[in-house]
Amino acid sequence: MSAPSDATQSQETPAEDVELESLRERYARERDRRIRPDGTAQYRSTTGDFGYYATDPYTPRTEREPLNDTVDVLVIGGGFGGLTTGARLRQVGVESIRMMDEAGDFGGTWYWNRYPGIHCDIESYSYIPLLEEVGYVPKWRYAPGEEIRRHAVAIAETFGLYRDALFHTRATSMDWNEDEGVWEVATDRGDHMRARYVITSSGTLSRPKLPGIPGIENFRGHTFHTSRWDYGYTGGDADGGLVGLADKKVAVVGTGATGVQVIPHLGRDAEHLYVFQRTPSSVDVRDNRPTDPEWSGSLEPGWQRERMENFLSIISGEPVETDLTKDGWTATARLQRKMITGALDTSVSAEERERLDEIADARTMNRIRTRVDEVVQDPATAERLKPWYRYMCKRPCFSDHYLQTFNRPDVTLVDTADHGGITRVTEDAIVVGDTEYEVDCVVFATGFEVGISGVLSGALPVRGRDGQELLASWSRGPKTLHGFYSPGFPNLFHLGSMQNANSVNFAHILLEQAEHIAAVIEQAGKTGAEVVEPSEEATEEWVRTVRESAHDNSDFQAQCTPGYYNREGTATGGSNSYGPGPVAFHRILREWRDTRMDEVLVQRTAVSDR
């Protein structure tokens, strides 16, 4: 069976049953209710007086003596990006690898996020990397967070990445030593280490953020962020059973992907739950289920790679014969290309394609809004839970329990849109407009500072050849070859979505990046190259390619309800990714490795001649 093409889907989507003009007007009204003049400044960072919100509640910090040694490769970041890079480096024969992370163990976002109900929203057989290498098949189609965290640990154990690993350690500076051909790296633990190669994979969703609500510091009850869940206060574990809340009035602030997962547990276990919502999420059916043993027993070598590439191809609009996943993501692949670009239907004009896309989007969102009416018993509550925006304005959510929670008499939905959010916090209450809600505990499901890694934020200063600062060299925008490395900064690699490609299954993107970096370092070893560094010409060519191919979705974003996708309604301009999408980008990387890899492999004595 073939997956339907864009053209086929268009033919199945008649325009006459969709009132686009009235829908656009409703979307605009709902957007305007929520836009704030302070944009992203409405949030505050978990630093300074609020730094305790970001501390590690899971692993005690162990004192140790500072290190002053040398390794071949330093990988900054212990999430799936760092883990897959470390694993691939081991597979190509690199022995001296040091992993470093601010957390107390491996796992990245799956280390920090352990809140009740946490699951992956991408099918686990495609999302969790290196399943075949570790010898594991997930127990659930959409795996719970603890299963994913344990797999991260299993990757580290399988590939010997605990050897020389440093946890609860943050890099504070990086300086290139031209004479020795190494990076000198300082940390907040007093370390002064050297590394021939440094790979940064510190993530872009790592530091929790808080809403800048007046009076938040005056609340005398208990507070915590979902990414630092306080089971000592709530009782229970990631499966629920929050017995410590049985006599507590609890507020949860935020109804995004995290809120959708945690609210059913809070609603079930708290004496009373108040859900403070600015913008409702779109919530479709999840239909999670245990893995079929007969199916898992029939898998043949290479099954995960095939499944991952099949999913990525469908999401990117590439032709496939069969949809191996068949879930909410692949069913709405066409709509996702507003945010994650890929192959486009060129059989119609751009204007007609946009019209047909908008019709398909409206039909999907109408169905999701109809589901709210079907599940939520109180009409007024149901109306407040309906998402009035285009499908990819916010990350879509899937749950078979979230909407049902609002049928409980001990759960109250508080819509804050007309008040610009929560008005203020007192010593014992949250105030919206003129109404006070007395609570014992406030749980912040308010997400993370987006795109703020240590390197990009300046928290980790990087100085390359001749003391040149990385951020200064990027003052007019990042300058990389394929998103990985920059001239003037030898042997430094970046993982992430900058100037390469993106996808809803970002773990797959990171795996491809890890394989690319490992291949480059392996080839450097084979050829005796001392430096991996792109030329100015190659870098400029790639930056120009990204700029010319990037999909300008600013008009779409401007029409969206405010959120982290559009920087709270302030985003302008196009994306910083390769426009044709991840499948095309990965094809470019493979061809480049086959024909042009030697362009970045040089001897240090020849660098000045480039």
Side-chain angles (χ1 to χ4, degrees):
M1 180 181 70
S2 298
S5 67
D6 281 356
T8 300
Q9 291 177 351
S10 298
Q11 294 166 3
E12 296 173 350
T13 311
E16 52 269 18
D17 63 344
V18 177
E19 293 288 343
L20 287 182
E21 192 58 41
S22 62
L23 198 56
R24 291 172 188 148
E25 292 174 358
R26 178 67 186 270
Y27 286 176
R29 289 198 306 271
E30 296 292 337
R31 176 201 61 207
D32 292 346
R33 290 176 62 205
R34 294 170 172 86
I35 285 182
R36 291 173 45 138
D38 49 356
T40 57
Q42 67 187 271
Y43 296 101
R44 61 180 69 184
S45 178
T46 49
T47 56
D49 292 342
F50 294 92
Y52 65 91
Y53 279 99
T55 57
D56 187 348
Y58 310 121
T59 305
R61 177 184 167 114
T62 302
E63 295 302 320
R64 61 173 178 81
E65 292 297 318
L67 296 180
N68 187 357
D69 59 1
T70 302
V71 295
D72 286 343
V73 181
L74 171 65
V75 180
I76 300 176
F80 278 152
L83 283 167
T84 52
T85 302
R88 292 308 192 214
L89 287 171
R90 280 276 192 258
Q91 289 179 319
V92 300
V94 179
E95 289 300 319
S96 178
I97 302 173
R98 168 162 293 147
M99 308 291 294
M100 186 168 72
D101 200 284
E102 295 182 50
D105 203 345
F106 289 109
T109 190
W110 300 104
Y111 175 86
W112 293 115
N113 288 280
R114 306 190 192 190
Y115 55 81
I118 182 172
H119 280 68
C120 180
D121 64 358
I122 303 292
E123 191 183 61
S124 60
Y125 318 124
S126 294
Y127 176 79
I128 303 177
L130 306 180
L131 290 174
E132 290 189 78
E133 290 86 340
V134 174
Y136 185 73
V137 177
K139 296 178 180 178
W140 288 85
R141 187 182 188 196
Y142 302 97
E146 182 61 11
E147 183 178 15
I148 301 173
R149 188 190 70 80
R150 289 177 179 174
H151 184 77
V153 170
I155 292 173
E157 292 174 339
T158 300
F159 293 97
L161 300 180
Y162 278 103
R163 191 188 324 156
D164 290 334
L166 296 179
F167 297 113
H168 287 149
T169 303
R170 177 174 57 86
T172 55
S173 67
M174 288 173 44
D175 293 88
W176 174 251
N177 184 320
E178 180 69 20
D179 293 336
E180 297 184 25
V182 296
W183 284 97
E184 296 180 346
V185 183
T187 77
D188 62 350
R189 304 291 292 268
D191 305 302
H192 289 86
M193 65 190 77
R194 291 164 296 283
R196 181 180 178 190
Y197 298 102
V198 175
I199 301 164
T200 66
S201 182
S202 52
T204 58
L205 293 174
S206 56
R207 178 167 289 278
K209 67 182 180 184
L210 297 172
I213 305 170
I216 190 175
E217 65 278 3
N218 299 325
F219 184 68
R220 292 187 176 180
H222 198 74
T223 63
F224 56 88
H225 192 275
T226 49
S227 67
R228 309 292 191 270
W229 195 271
D230 188 353
Y231 284 108
Y233 179 82
T234 67
D237 54 29
D239 294 324
L242 311 179
V243 295
L245 302 180
D247 60 347
K248 300 292 191 302
K249 294 180 177 65
V250 178
V252 60
V253 179
T255 54
T258 295
V260 165
Q261 295 187 91
V262 75
I263 283 168
H265 290 279
L266 291 172
R268 186 179 303 117
D269 295 334
E271 176 185 318
H272 196 98
L273 176 66
Y274 294 97
V275 178
F276 291 85
Q277 169 191 275
R278 180 184 65 168
T279 307
S281 287
S282 67
V283 184
D284 212 338
V285 175
R286 164 51 66 216
D287 190 28
N288 198 9
R289 55 182 179 268
T291 298
D292 180 359
E294 184 176 346
W295 172 79
S296 63
S298 70
L299 297 173
E300 298 181 355
W303 70 268
Q304 189 186 27
R305 173 70 69 175
E306 178 187 14
R307 199 172 189 90
M308 292 172 70
E309 292 183 349
N310 177 266
F311 180 85
L312 190 66
S313 293
I314 293 171
I315 296 300
S316 304
E318 300 282 340
V320 299
E321 293 184 359
T322 304
D323 179 355
L324 298 178
T325 305
K326 298 178 182 178
D327 71 352
W329 288 110
T330 58
T332 60
R334 174 190 188 142
L335 310 182
Q336 296 168 45
R337 288 167 216 154
K338 283 297 176 188
M339 287 296 296
I340 302 169
T341 55
L344 296 174
D345 175 20
T346 56
S347 65
V348 297
S349 67
E351 294 77 11
E352 179 65 5
R353 183 172 63 237
E354 173 59 35
R355 187 182 73 86
L356 294 172
D357 285 351
E358 190 173 5
I359 291 169
D361 192 299
R363 287 174 63 87
T364 296
M365 292 303 288
N366 283 343
R367 176 180 58 78
I368 288 172
R369 287 187 286 265
T370 297
R371 181 178 181 237
V372 178
D373 284 327
E374 293 170 347
V375 173
V376 180
Q377 296 165 2
D378 177 60
T381 301
E383 192 59 36
R384 291 194 294 271
L385 286 166
K386 291 179 182 177
W388 293 100
Y389 45 79
R390 294 280 292 272
Y391 187 70
M392 285 303 293
C393 282
K394 292 172 66 70
R395 187 175 178 103
C397 296
F398 305 88
S399 175
D400 301 326
H401 309 288
Y402 176 73
L403 295 174
Q404 292 83 346
T405 300
F406 294 95
N407 292 328
R408 300 181 61 96
D410 49 2
V411 174
T412 300
L413 177 66
V414 182
D415 189 85
T416 69
D418 288 327
H419 303 278
I422 294 171
T423 305
R424 67 181 188 278
V425 176
T426 69
E427 293 182 352
D428 57 4
I430 291 180
V431 182
V432 177
D434 296 325
T435 306
E436 292 192 7
Y437 301 87
E438 291 189 5
V439 293
D440 303 294
C441 173
V442 180
V443 179
F444 291 105
T446 46
F448 299 85
E449 297 180 29
V450 179
I452 306 299
S453 66
V455 171
L456 294 178
S457 68
L460 173 53
V462 177
R463 290 172 285 268
R465 189 175 290 112
D466 300 323
Q468 182 183 20
E469 294 186 357
L470 181 63
L471 289 187
S473 74
W474 288 0
S475 60
R476 296 186 178 181
K479 295 189 301 182
T480 73
L481 176 59
H482 300 144
F484 295 109
Y485 20 48
S486 297
F489 299 87
N491 297 354
L492 174 62
F493 299 82
H494 310 280
L495 281 84
S497 59
M498 176 182 63
Q499 292 188 339
N500 43 55
N502 206 345
S503 172
V504 294
N505 185 9
F506 198 58
H508 184 180
I509 299 297
L510 291 172
L511 179 61
E512 294 282 349
Q513 294 181 12
E515 292 173 350
H516 184 78
I517 291 172
V520 171
I521 291 178
E522 179 187 28
Q523 186 67 8
K526 288 180 178 179
T527 61
E530 297 173 291
V531 167
V532 173
E533 181 182 2
S535 67
E536 290 280 358
E537 294 76 17
T539 301
E540 290 174 3
E541 178 186 351
W542 180 249
V543 171
R544 185 166 54 252
T545 297
V546 171
R547 184 173 60 249
E548 293 174 352
S549 72
H551 177 60
D552 185 355
N553 61 3
S554 54
D555 288 343
F556 174 79
Q557 293 278 25
Q559 298 168 27
C560 281
T561 189
Y564 77 85
Y565 273 7
N566 64 0
R567 292 179 55 82
E568 299 299 333
T570 65
T572 59
S575 72
N576 199 24
S577 295
Y578 180 62
V583 175
F585 177 68
H586 297 158
R587 191 180 300 122
I588 285 176
L589 289 186
R590 288 192 295 271
E591 293 172 355
W592 183 88
R593 291 197 296 266
D594 289 340
T595 61
R596 300 180 61 182
M597 194 189 302
D598 288 347
E599 293 178 4
V600 300
L601 306 178
V602 296
Q603 299 295 332
R604 283 194 292 129
T605 54
V607 169
S608 60
D609 299 328
R610 303 195 77 192

